[in-house]
Amino acid sequence: MDALYPRLLVRDFPACAAFYQAVLRELLGAEPVKVLPGYANWDIGGEAGLVLFARDRIAQAVGTEGLPGAAQDAAMLVMKVDDVDEATACLARHGATVAAPPQDRPDWAPNLRTAHVRDPEGNLIELQSY
């Protein structure tokens, strides 16, 4: 189960996907599980190890697309949860701010529901269920 993993939000998706594909193959013997336009993921030992995601897609999702590139998020943590709405409320009770409320994302993946919050330092966290 991919409960918690890093997602790099990249500007040059093709270059980064090629880089990590070569490096993870050579160093860890890891092959990508899935590579789609703007999305790639690698598992290590049956768990999510790394995900790449096109930065412009997440900027649109969390409303930062108007910011200069240097001001946009470059990474986020992803947490798989049973209930995105409950998890969003939980994180908010503990001081997180909601960047994008819970919503279904069928254009990202079938049955995917996400919310995006920021921790007290402003780090982006995606809560997801599928």
Side-chain angles (χ1 to χ4, degrees), residues 21-111:
Q21 189 165 0
V23 168
L24 294 175
R25 177 181 292 138
E26 188 170 329
L27 294 179
L28 302 176
E31 294 295 332
V33 174
K34 186 184 301 183
V35 179
L36 302 169
Y39 178 89
N41 71 293
W42 290 263
D43 285 358
I44 300 168
E47 297 285 329
L50 177 66
V51 173
L52 300 181
F53 199 74
R55 187 177 296 185
D56 60 337
R57 291 178 66 192
I58 202 66
Q60 183 179 29
V62 300
T64 59
E65 67 269 24
L67 297 176
Q72 291 185 3
D73 298 290
M76 72 177 169
L77 287 176
V78 177
M79 299 173 110
K80 185 175 182 205
V81 297
D82 291 332
D83 186 311
V84 169
D85 298 72
E86 286 181 14
T88 302
C90 174
L91 271 69
R93 279 194 311 274
H94 291 282
T97 57
V98 177
Q103 57 195 284
D104 295 330
R105 300 252 185 217
D107 53 320
W108 289 8
N111 303 315

